[in-house]
């Protein structure tokens, strides 16, 4: 029972994990990205339609990444080069994503693909409790484990990662040291958006291998909140994403067992949970546990440098 | 030879006319770019635009339908723009509309009031108070603990919509509704009057009245001045002795209450019952409206009318070309992108710098 629930937790948490990691990279560079929900949909549709058209899952993933990255580049252009309002631009990106996927997805409704299948890792997959959840999963889930580690190493063990963090903390100082602030910010938003797109692709290519209009259903917003819970750190993002995967899995399980509680009430749980977690993590932040990037949300204008 | 380099410089000029032309220009450019999207989706953009125009403003009935669509947009747009004035991001108008519709429907269905005016007043007050309290929760979290109101108001949308469905699929379901998620019809006492044999109802005039009231509140009262002051410079306002905390809660309360009136007006004026999907995203469109209107109450009325055109036209495109109504969002996103870009060129000029390091 617990191993089944844990397995469902990891599967439900993975799209949120990719989305949270993508949002985190962008915020580390100082740019808030409220377009996550729209980017997930773009990734979901692009990945699904490419995989359906070419019959190749890897092509699907590549297309999902590139499409979401291109859409994220609009946000980057507006927030970084044009110093526009990051909140409004992000909302515009979400609306754009919902709209454009509804428009181009109408021909995709009802089609199916063979999604990612499970690959058991010899030995480890037979571990009690955690074996099935962590070592008998599909390639995308294994990649997400790897990505968590790579992002952590990038931020804390490479010069580029250090530069990127500085750009998010104090762009003027980074600029003075010769770090090209705009280039770092632009790339962080674009690459982060691509990773969010992979989260969307997980939905349409592995979780439920088909396209449904608006299938991200608020997961993008949960990811935005989880970045705060994660204190902008990738391992904690993993924890947060699985927390929500767990709530989703539990809710589905309860529905399947035919509880007395209405399905609509059960579906509220992840959103209510996110608000609670957001409140708790904001309070923790104020008590000094971790810190948000100092210049988050502020456009950088070289002329203002003091 | 070195590549030409560019740098941006602040402009000195402050041209109010350009500031108001920019939104219009953004809409035009968005129409142009969306044309390519429609083309790619296999729809002739010229024919589509002509149809949007013809259906929405080409006849008296079309015009009345546009005003019907503009009504909830004005309410929600006012609410959102009012909060924007204080740099508070209420992204939860969608949920607040549902709460308003639920509260008003609850009164209409179960209060048993028979007096027309009393019934409508109670419905309106219920919507106003419940919507206000709903948004006020986000205000309280923000004021007390600095919890991000963007995320809270947004997540509360999903909760409000699920709550409505919970009622419509459960206790409030009309036994005579063939299992559709609808409530029973309201009694005549709970219906706003309509005009000229169209669906245009008193909610529209109530919305105009609210716009005027909000305009006067913001431009002619000390409190309005304080709200704007807190919005433009919170530190200075705090220094001048204004209490930002209570102001944030109150602003979000009023913002949510105004948006909730859209829910009241939809159920009392148009549907005469609570239905699943009572707002097909008016709350999100309201965000665009508030931004395009430059947060001015009267501007909200004008922009809501323009968005009404788009929605009525979008409905008819859905019928003729099976275009999903959500594609209107792509359009609205584009408008915002172009407005943000236009604002940059209002503030900065780009200069070419001869060679060397910029």
């Amino acid at each position: 029972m617990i191993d089944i629930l844990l397995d469902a937790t990891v599967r439900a948490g993975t799209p949120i994990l990719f989305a949270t990691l993508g949002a985190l990279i962008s915020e580390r560079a100082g740019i808030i990205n409220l377009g996550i929900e729209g980017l997930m949909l773009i990734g979901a549709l692009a990945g699904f339609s490419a995989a359906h058209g070419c019959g190749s899952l890897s092509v699907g993933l590549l297309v999902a990444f590139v499409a979401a990255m291109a859409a994220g580049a609009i946000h980057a252009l507006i927030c970084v080069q044009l110093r526009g309002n990051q909140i409004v631009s992000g909302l515009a990106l979400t609306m754009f994503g919902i709209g454009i996927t509804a428009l181009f997805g109408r021909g995709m409704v009802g089609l199916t693909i063979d999604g990612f299948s499970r690959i058991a890792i010899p030995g480890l997959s037979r571990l009690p409790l955690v074996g099935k959840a962590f070592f008998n999963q599909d390639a995308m889930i294994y990649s997400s484990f790897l990505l968590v580690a790579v992002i952590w190493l990038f931020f804390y063990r490479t010069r580029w990662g250090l530069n990127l963090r500085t750009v998010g903390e104090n762009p003027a100082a980074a600029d003075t040291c010769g770090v090209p602030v705009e280039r770092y910010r632009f790339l962080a938003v674009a690459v982060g958006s691509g990773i969010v797109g992979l989260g969307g692709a997980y939905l349409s290519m592995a979780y439920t291998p088909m396209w449904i209009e608006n299938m991200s259903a608020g997961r993008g917003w949960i990811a935005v909140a989880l970045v705060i819970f994660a204190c902008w750190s990738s391992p904690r993002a993993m924890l947060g994403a699985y927390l929500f995967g767990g709530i989703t899995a539990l809710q589905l399980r309860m529905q399947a067992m035919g509880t007395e509680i209405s399905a609509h009430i059960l579906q509220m749980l992840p959103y209510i949970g996110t608000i609670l977690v957001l409140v708790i993590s904001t309070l923790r932040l104020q008590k000094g546990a971790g810190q948000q990037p100092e210049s988050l949300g502020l456009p950088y204008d070289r002329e203002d440098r003091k | 030879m070195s590549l030409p380099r560019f740098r941006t410089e602040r402009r000195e000029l402050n041209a109010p006319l350009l500031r108001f032309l920019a939104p219009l220009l953004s809409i035009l450019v968005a129409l142009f770019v969306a044309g390519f999207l429609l083309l790619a989706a296999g729809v002739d953009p010229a024919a589509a635009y002509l149809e949007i125009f013809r259906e929405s403003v080409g006849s008296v009935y079309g015009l009345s339908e546009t005003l019907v669509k503009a009504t909830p947009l004005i309410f929600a747009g006012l609410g959102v723009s009012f909060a924007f004035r204080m740099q508070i991001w209420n992204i939860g108008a969608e949920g607040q509309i549902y709460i308003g519709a639920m509260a008003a429907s609850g009164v209409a269905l179960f209060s048993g009031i028979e007096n027309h005016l009393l019934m409508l007043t109670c419905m309106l007050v219920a919507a106003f108070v419940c919507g206000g309290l709903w948004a006020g929760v986000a205000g309280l979290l923000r004021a007390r603990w600095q919890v991000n109101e963007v995320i809270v108001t947004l997540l509360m949308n999903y909760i409000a919509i699920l709550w409505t469905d919970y009622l419509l699929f459960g206790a409030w379901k009309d036994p005579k509704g063939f299992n559709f998620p609808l409530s029973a019809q309201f009694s005549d006492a709970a219906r706003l009057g309509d005009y000229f044999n169209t669906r245009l109802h008193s909610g529209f005039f109530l919305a105009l009245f609210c716009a005027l009231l909000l305009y006067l509140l913001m431009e002619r009262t000390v409190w309005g001045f304080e709200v704007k002051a807190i919005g433009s410079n919170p530190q200075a306002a705090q220094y001048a002795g204004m209490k930002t905390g209570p102001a944030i809660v109150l602003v979000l309360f009023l913002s949510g209450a105004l948006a909730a009136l859209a829910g009241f007006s939809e159920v009392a004026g148009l549907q005469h019952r609570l239905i699943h999907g009572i707002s097909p995203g008016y709350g999100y469109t309201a965000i665009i409206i508030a931004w395009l209107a430059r947060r001015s109450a009267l501007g909200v009325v004008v922009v809501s009318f323009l968005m009404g055109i788009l929605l009525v036209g979008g409905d008819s495109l859905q019928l003729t070309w099976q275009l999903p109504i959500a594609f209107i969002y792509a359009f609205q996103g584009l408008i915002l992108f172009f407005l943000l870009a236009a604002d940059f060129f209002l503030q900065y000029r780009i200069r070419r710098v001869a060679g060397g390091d910029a």
Side-chain angles (χ1 to χ4, degrees), chain A residues 90-200:
Chain A
L91 290 169
L93 182 56
T94 286
M95 292 187 160
F96 180 71
I98 294 174
I100 202 168
T101 51
L103 183 63
F104 289 107
R106 45 190 184 132
M108 292 286 153
V109 178
L111 301 179
T112 50
I113 54 169
D114 290 325
F116 284 93
S117 52
R118 290 175 187 263
I119 306 162
I121 294 183
L124 288 175
S125 62
R126 292 221 211 105
L127 285 175
L129 240 55
V130 292
K132 190 166 157 52
F134 292 97
F135 304 108
N136 183 22
Q137 292 289 12
D138 56 56
M140 277 194 83
I141 290 185
Y142 296 135
S143 319
S144 75
F145 298 162
L146 203 64
L147 192 61
V148 169
V150 168
I151 290 173
W152 191 87
L153 288 172
F154 170 77
F155 278 131
Y156 296 101
R157 292 288 181 273
T158 70
R159 172 146 217 104
W160 288 351
L162 177 66
N163 287 347
L164 188 62
R165 285 188 292 138
T166 315
V167 161
E169 296 288 344
N170 190 342
D175 197 1
T176 313
C177 300
V179 176
V181 175
E182 296 199 341
R183 203 173 308 163
Y184 268 93
R185 287 193 156 180
F186 190 98
L187 281 173
V189 175
V191 173
S193 300
I195 293 174
V196 174
L198 293 180

Side-chain angles (χ1 to χ4, degrees), chain B residues 74-248:
Chain B
I74 296 173
F75 281 119
L78 288 176
V80 174
S81 67
F82 176 56
F84 278 7
R85 269 289 171 98
M86 221 178 87
Q87 303 277 17
I88 297 292
W89 302 90
N90 177 11
I91 315 299
E94 184 73 1
Q96 290 143 18
I97 296 174
Y98 276 85
I99 295 294
M102 252 191 289
S105 303
V107 172
L109 293 168
F110 305 111
S111 71
I113 301 171
E114 276 160 27
N115 179 294
H116 188 54
L117 201 63
L118 182 65
M119 171 65 115
L120 285 171
T121 312
C122 287
M123 286 166 73
L124 186 141
V125 170
F128 190 86
V129 171
C130 293
L133 291 175
W134 186 255
V137 171
L140 202 65
L141 292 176
R142 165 69 203 267
R144 190 93 181 71
W145 295 305
Q146 295 289 308
V147 180
N148 190 321
E149 81 279 10
V150 178
I151 308 173
V152 174
T153 51
L154 208 127
L155 290 167
M156 285 173 81
N157 289 342
Y158 292 92
I159 300 173
I161 294 170
L162 285 165
W163 192 359
T164 312
D165 282 349
Y166 164 69
L167 293 175
L168 288 179
F169 283 91
W172 288 17
K173 183 152 73 181
D174 183 4
K176 288 178 296 224
F178 303 102
N179 244 354
F180 283 115
L182 325 149
S183 78
Q185 287 227 333
F186 296 172
S187 68
D188 286 342
R191 297 178 184 204
L192 287 169
D194 44 17
Y195 300 94
F196 320 117
N197 280 328
T198 63
R199 300 201 301 163
L200 184 65
H201 54 86
S202 314
F204 175 68
F205 302 103
L206 185 67
L208 291 185
F209 176 72
C210 284
L212 190 67
L213 215 58
L214 194 63
Y215 170 79
L216 293 175
L217 186 72
M218 292 306 287
E219 306 302 328
R220 297 278 185 274
T221 67
V222 178
W223 191 72
F225 173 76
E226 283 196 358
V227 164
K228 285 189 283 184
I230 294 174
S232 54
N233 193 339
Q235 273 87 30
Q238 207 150 27
Y239 196 68
M242 298 174 194
K243 289 202 166 55
T244 48
I248 289 175

